[in-house]
Amino acid sequence: MKLSRKQSVIRRHRRVRKKVSGTPDRPRLCVFRSHKHIYAQVIDDVAQNTVAAASTLDSEVKSDLKSTSTCEASSAVGKLVAQRALEKGVTKVVFDRGGNLYHGRIQSLAEAAREAGLDF
């Protein structure tokens, strides 16, 4: 039986989450990608709280973009989430690609976050 695309993403995400966990010293940069938008959160799994978050639904990002489902939009979200995390004092994170392949929009978000100052 062949798995659907969504089932494959869920399987990969579970496999990644077995190894990746956020700590207060090094929280987890979690990415969720839908067809229209992309969301990123910096999460401390020990305290179970979100340190910083950004998405293409934020007015800062949405006003500058023609489309929210492009690599350009993802890099804008990556810069914004890195900026917000740095304001909270977070410099090192663990990257959680959310079961998606490290390619396209996920890769552009990660590279933009690195350029903005996050270390992972």
Side-chain angles (χ1 to χ4, degrees):
M1 186 172 102
K2 186 175 179 186
L3 296 176
S4 71
R5 182 176 295 245
K6 183 66 177 173
Q7 289 171 328
S8 298
V9 168
I10 290 170
R11 258 183 127 163
R12 281 193 302 268
H13 193 201
R14 285 185 185 148
R15 189 168 57 234
V16 168
R17 286 288 289 126
K18 284 180 189 176
K19 298 177 183 179
V20 175
S21 178
T23 63
D25 299 332
R26 197 170 175 128
R28 176 170 55 101
L29 174 59
C30 179
V31 177
F32 175 75
R33 180 181 66 90
S34 70
H35 286 291
K36 288 187 178 181
H37 299 285
I38 193 158
Y39 308 84
Q41 294 180 330
V42 178
I43 302 170
D44 176 8
D45 289 319
V46 175
Q48 295 182 348
N49 66 341
T50 301
V51 178
S55 73
T56 51
L57 293 172
D58 288 347
S59 59
E60 300 172 33
V61 176
K62 198 172 188 179
S63 62
D64 299 336
L65 301 172
K66 185 181 285 189
S67 174
T68 57
S69 61
T70 60
C71 287
E72 179 186 334
S74 297
S75 62
V77 170
K79 289 175 189 172
L80 185 61
V81 75
Q83 177 186 2
R84 289 179 178 173
L86 290 172
E87 287 173 2
K88 300 281 183 156
V90 175
T91 55
K92 292 186 176 186
V93 294
V94 178
F95 189 65
D96 176 12
R97 56 190 168 90
N100 299 297
L101 300 177
Y102 188 79
H103 181 266
R105 291 164 52 192
I106 303 295
Q107 182 179 0
S108 65
L109 186 143
E111 289 173 354
R114 281 191 193 102
E115 288 173 9
L118 285 182
D119 181 31
F120 59 94

